Amino acid sequence: MIPITSMFMGAVLFVFVILAFMTIKIVPAYRRIVVLRLGKFHGVRADGVQLIWPIIDSPIWVDIRENFLEIPQQTCITKDNAPINIDFLIYWKVVDPANSVLQVRNFMGAAQGIAMTTLRAVIGDLSLDEVLAKRDQINQVLRSKLDEVTERWGVKITTVEIREIQPPREVQDAMNKQMAAERNRRAVVLQADGEREAAIMVAQGQKQSEILKAEGDRQAAILRAEGYALAISKIFEEARKIDDKTMALQYLETLKKLGEGASTKWIIPMEMASLVSGFAQNIKTAASK
C-alpha cells in the first residue's frame, strides 16, 4: 500500500511540472506575446524564453510576419457609370502587437470591409479608361488609404495588388475590335514602309548606276579629246619638219600619178607651179656646180 506522503509528493510534483510547463514559454523570432495580467495590459514579450504566470496572466500570441488578405471580386461603378469587376490582394504585417490585440477584435474581417469600401470610393472617382490604364496608380491610392485606417490597429499595409479587372462584355468586344484594327494598321504601315524602303533603294541604285555611266562617258570623252589633241600635235610637229623640197617632191609625185590617168586636162594651183619652178632652179644650180 502506497503511503499517503508519497502520493502527496507525487501530486505536488505533477502540479509543479504542469505549472512549470504553463509558466515557461519559448517565443520564436517571428512571434510576440501580448500579456494581459488580471485583464490589464501588462506588456509584450519578445522572442526567447519568457515566464508567464498561470491563472493571473493571459498570453495572446501575435504573428509579426507579413501576411496577405484576398479580397474577392467586387463590382464597382466608374465615374462614367460603367460597371467593372475587380479583385485584389492586400499584403500587411503587424508593427505594434499591443494595438493589434487591443484596438481591433477581428482584423481580417475589418480589413476586408474597409478594403471593399475604399475600392468603391477610388473607382468611383475614375473613368473606365483611367481604371484600365492606371492600375499601378490605383494600387498606390488603395494602399495609402487603407494604411491610414489600419495604422491605429498597429498594422502596416505594405502592398496592394489588383489581380484582375473585368470590364463589361460590350467594352471587351470593343477593345478586341480596336486591338484587331490596331494590328491591321501596324501591318499596313510596316508593309508600306517596306515598299517605300525598297523603292528608295532601287532609285538609289539606278541613280548610282547613271552617275557611274555618266562618269564613264565623261572619262571616255576626255580620253578621246586628249587623243585627238595628241594626234594633231604630232601632225603639227611632223609638218614643221617638211621644207619646200619635200613639198615639191610630193607635188611631182602627184603630177606623175595624174599623168598616168586618162584625163587630158588638169588644174594646177599656183603654189604648186611656184614650188616646181623653185625646185627646177635648184636642180640647175646643182648641175652647173
Side-chain angles (χ1 to χ4, degrees):
M1 186 174 180
I2 302 176
I4 297 177
T5 303
S6 299
M7 293 179 61
F8 179 76
M9 292 298 294
V12 170
L13 181 62
F14 178 76
V15 171
F16 178 79
V17 171
I18 296 298
L19 291 176
F21 179 78
M22 296 175 62
T23 301
I24 299 174
K25 301 292 183 181
I26 300 177
V27 183
Y30 57 86
R31 302 184 75 180
R32 297 290 184 269
I33 296 180
V34 178
V35 179
L36 300 180
R37 179 166 293 177
L38 298 177
K40 295 181 179 181
F41 173 69
H42 184 67
V44 178
R45 305 295 174 85
D47 51 331
V49 178
Q50 303 291 338
L51 298 178
I52 304 296
W53 298 110
I55 301 175
I56 63 174
D57 286 344
S58 300
I60 301 175
W61 293 85
V62 178
D63 195 324
I64 62 173
R65 291 176 294 184
E66 187 169 7
N67 205 339
F68 74 94
L69 175 63
E70 183 177 1
I71 306 300
Q73 191 175 83
Q74 302 294 313
T75 300
C76 304
I77 305 298
T78 62
K79 186 177 181 180
D80 48 359
N81 297 322
I84 189 171
N85 296 325
I86 301 177
D87 65 331
F88 62 101
L89 296 174
I90 299 175
Y91 292 85
W92 57 276
K93 65 182 301 184
V94 174
V95 294
D96 189 340
N99 284 336
S100 69
V101 172
L102 300 176
Q103 299 298 327
V104 61
R105 184 176 67 85
N106 180 6
F107 170 76
M108 302 292 283
Q112 184 170 345
I114 291 295
M116 293 178 181
T117 304
T118 305
L119 175 65
R120 292 189 178 94
V122 172
I123 298 301
D125 292 335
L126 301 174
S127 64
L128 178 59
D129 292 338
E130 291 175 334
V131 172
L132 297 176
K134 299 180 179 180
R135 177 176 297 193
D136 291 339
Q137 181 177 343
I138 296 173
N139 289 337
Q140 294 297 326
V141 173
L142 285 174
R143 190 200 65 78
S144 178
K145 290 184 175 297
L146 290 173
D147 198 40
E148 292 176 0
V149 176
T150 60
E151 184 180 5
R152 65 175 182 266
W153 298 339
V155 177
K156 175 69 175 177
I157 303 297
T158 58
T159 308
V160 174
E161 289 292 339
I162 294 177
R163 291 195 303 183
E164 187 177 8
I165 299 177
Q166 292 183 350
R169 173 61 60 183
E170 58 272 13
V171 175
Q172 291 184 359
D173 294 340
M175 291 172 60
N176 292 333
K177 292 179 181 179
Q178 182 179 2
M179 291 175 61
E182 180 65 19
R183 286 194 295 267
N184 293 332
R185 185 188 68 82
R186 291 181 180 179
V188 172
V189 170
L190 290 176
Q191 182 179 0
D193 288 342
E195 293 176 353
R196 181 176 61 85
E197 292 294 333
I200 290 174
M201 293 180 66
V202 171
Q204 288 178 346
Q206 292 177 350
K207 175 183 176 182
Q208 190 66 25
S209 177
E210 294 295 333
I211 290 173
L212 293 175
K213 182 179 178 182
E215 183 65 22
D217 294 340
R218 187 179 69 85
Q219 292 293 336
I222 292 173
L223 292 176
R224 285 196 297 270
E226 289 178 351
Y228 293 153
L230 182 60
I232 292 173
S233 178
K234 290 292 184 181
I235 293 172
F236 180 73
E237 290 294 332
E238 293 297 327
R240 292 180 60 184
K241 298 177 182 179
I242 299 175
D243 54 6
D244 294 341
K245 295 179 181 180
T246 304
M247 292 295 294
L249 289 174
Q250 292 293 331
Y251 277 132
L252 290 174
E253 183 67 25
T254 302
L255 288 174
K256 179 181 177 182
K257 291 181 178 179
L258 290 174
E260 293 175 355
S263 299
T264 56
K265 294 181 180 181
W266 302 286
I267 298 174
I268 300 174
M270 295 296 295
E271 293 82 356
M272 182 176 178
S274 299
L275 289 172
V276 172
S277 62
F279 180 70
Q281 184 64 31
N282 290 333
I283 293 175
K284 289 179 179 181
T285 303
S288 60
K289 292 181 179 179

